[in-house]
Amino acid sequence: MPRLTPDQLRSARWFAPDDQRSFGHRSRLKQMGFDTDDFKGKPTIGILNTWSEVNNCHTHFRDRAEEVKRGVWQAGGFPLEVPVMSLSESFMKPTSMVYRNLLALETEETIRCYPFDAVVLMGGCDKTVPALIMGATSADVPAIFLPSGPMLKGCWKGETLGSGTDMWKYWAEKQAGNFCDDSWAQLEDGIARSAGHCMTMGTASTMTAIAEALGLCLPGSTSIPAVHSTHARMASAVGRQVVEMAWENITPKSILTSEAFRNGIVTDMALGGSTNAIIHLIAMAGRAGVKLTLEDFDKVSQKLSVIANIRPCGEYVMEDFYDAGGILALLEQIRDHLDLDCKTVTGKTLGENLEGAEVIDDDVIRPLNRPVGKAGGTFVLKGNLAPDGAVIKPTAAEERLLQHRGPAAVFADYGDLKARIDDPALGLTPEHIIVLQHAGPIGAPGIPEWGMLPIPKYLLEQGVRDMLRISDARMSGTSYGACVLHVSPESAIGGPLALVKDGDLIEVDVENRKLHLNVSDEKLASRKAEWKPRETQFSRGYGKLYAEEITQAHEGCDFRFLHDDGSGMVEPKIY
Ligand code: FES
């Protein structure tokens, strides 16, 4: 495609005509202190910034936005920074997942209604990554993703602490009476020590790495720790590159092909990435008109084992991953599994971007013949308990539980679980399978990260650290355990999970991808006939829209009306 000329820029519709409306646009730029030379004939670059004082992972984004602007000016563009909703994983309740689609919608509409020729998407904290990419894909104006980068490693008495993962680990020890209050307070001080997203292989590290494998980031950018000076220089390089992308009209849909999404899945499996990645990739693909299924993930997991030795599947954290060669080194290790011809934001192919990549420490980024675990990153289970599928991360589970048969201990919702799980009168044993209902996309709502269901305190005291757990919830990428997640269809709409009763035998066979409820079809049918849905929680507002439009986990939990229908973005009329 030939390079655009200034009069072909999208922003020219706003600024170029010799009419009263464009006079208004130009005079308002001048009101903000810009001169004609600042914008005339130049690509206008929107910098969509998810900075906010309530988002701990993006505290450096004000500085980074300035560094992006420096790059945009250097390359002859005209930068304009715009705030968009900041999805803070730590503080949003009931879960940031409720708002992923809202940020995606805001991103799409922000791009659509303003005179942007290209945009920089500034995100990192969990849902910000898929949300920004989903919205930008629907808008299909040139877009580059600027990752927040992982925070520095945590530390407690000389021991490395990983976000989330070590909190869960020491919380279990505290519950078991092995960890005192003083040490717990010291952990609170030492586990999150800088700007940047969680530095284990949680959803943020997984999704930013996948964004890079998809071709949406500058090469190597997603592994750079947030507070390194390299990160600031990378931000300016993003500013220079996005101007080039505007002239070359390198749009998300031109990058996000089915081959690119397969590269994303391959990368996810090699990373031992967060189970959340499955939902997000399906949703992102849906915006690009590419249909992904759970089977697409399972096929890759059968061929490729985890090679990133990062917590929770491994030993290290993201700072070590960066020093070991980072994402480019990992992609180099798995290059035979990738489609290297896929186009990226650099205008080059993924293969060209990998030139010179090397592994510095092969204990952190393992060779394929010495993986972290035998299994691939995420397995898909099916059976009469999850006709549309469920997922498990076998490398994060105790091996003895990967083939297990046990009686169900059923909790109707998370409140019920919290109220009763530690009651010794329940008499749970390590063989029990804990089942949580009403934790899915509609039931919770928002399919929250409750899937690492708590183990009863009295079993923790006996030394039990893992149990089979099944829910229609998600699990934080920093979590671990034998947790079967995303059971679909969910219990709130009458999926089989809603029909499980205390004592029912459940069989899980991860190797054979089986999740079976040992109850006859006739009995299940009679339970279904008696089952009644709960009252809807929202009669108005965003909650109502959400409940009416959300799809199930295996479909990506996007809103139905936001799926790609092939029509493309409708440009606003300018009168
Ligand atoms: Fe932001 Fe974990 S809290 S990535």
Side-chain angles (χ1 to χ4, degrees), residues 55-58 87-91 124-128 148-149 151 163-164 196-200 202-205 449 476 478:
N55 194 328
N56 45 294
C57 299
H58 297 176
L87 307 181
S88 173
E89 192 61 28
S90 305
F91 298 108
C125 189
D126 283 25
K127 313 302 178 288
T128 59
S148 69
M151 70 175 93
S163 309
H197 62 66
C198 291
M199 68 348 222
T200 42
T203 305
S205 302
E449 294 182 338
S476 163
T478 65

Side-chain angles (χ1 to χ4, degrees), residues 7-214:
D7 59 313
Q8 290 173 321
L9 290 172
R10 187 169 177 262
S11 60
R13 294 181 61 224
W14 274 259
F15 301 131
D18 184 16
D19 62 15
Q20 177 254 338
R21 181 59 62 206
S22 296
F23 167 92
H25 297 150
R26 293 189 299 266
S27 68
R28 294 304 182 173
L29 287 179
K30 289 177 177 177
Q31 180 185 10
M32 293 190 280
F34 295 113
D35 220 328
T36 305
D37 287 348
D38 289 327
F39 60 84
K40 188 173 180 199
K42 294 181 173 181
T44 302
I45 305 299
I47 302 168
L48 273 53
N49 194 347
T50 51
W51 176 90
S52 95
E53 265 184 349
V54 78
N55 194 328
N56 45 294
C57 299
H58 297 176
T59 53
H60 54 321
F61 267 3
R62 278 175 154 174
D63 290 343
R64 293 296 173 271
E66 292 307 315
E67 287 142 6
V68 172
K69 287 177 202 169
R70 185 168 70 208
V72 172
W73 287 122
Q74 285 168 352
F78 173 48
L80 291 173
E81 184 184 348
V82 185
V84 287
M85 188 177 192
S86 189
L87 307 181
S88 173
E89 192 61 28
S90 305
F91 298 108
M92 289 189 111
K93 305 297 173 207
T95 162
S96 61
M97 187 62 179
V98 170
Y99 299 101
R100 183 198 67 180
N101 298 346
L102 186 58
L103 172 57
L105 189 56
E106 186 190 11
T107 300
E108 178 180 349
E109 295 305 318
T110 299
I111 296 171
R112 198 168 85 87
C113 70
Y114 284 128
F116 299 145
D117 299 298
V119 293
V120 177
L121 309 169
M122 296 182 66
C125 189
D126 283 25
K127 313 302 178 288
T128 59
V129 185
L132 290 163
I133 293 172
M134 287 159 70
T137 303
S138 293
D140 207 30
V141 161
I144 185 169
F145 188 80
L146 192 162
S148 69
M151 70 175 93
L152 297 178
K153 58 176 79 172
C155 185
W156 175 66
K157 292 190 174 171
E159 190 182 317
T160 294
L161 295 176
S163 309
T165 307
D166 285 296
M167 176 187 69
W168 314 119
K169 180 175 127 186
Y170 286 108
W171 176 246
E173 295 307 322
K174 188 171 182 299
Q175 293 291 93
N178 301 330
F179 205 66
C180 69
D181 288 346
D182 282 354
S183 295
W184 183 246
Q186 288 162 10
L187 278 191
E188 190 176 297
D189 290 341
I191 199 164
R193 303 198 297 176
S194 79
H197 62 66
C198 291
M199 68 348 222
T200 42
M201 193 50 72
T203 305
S205 302
T206 305
M207 290 310 302
T208 50
I210 287 175
E212 184 165 336
L214 288 172

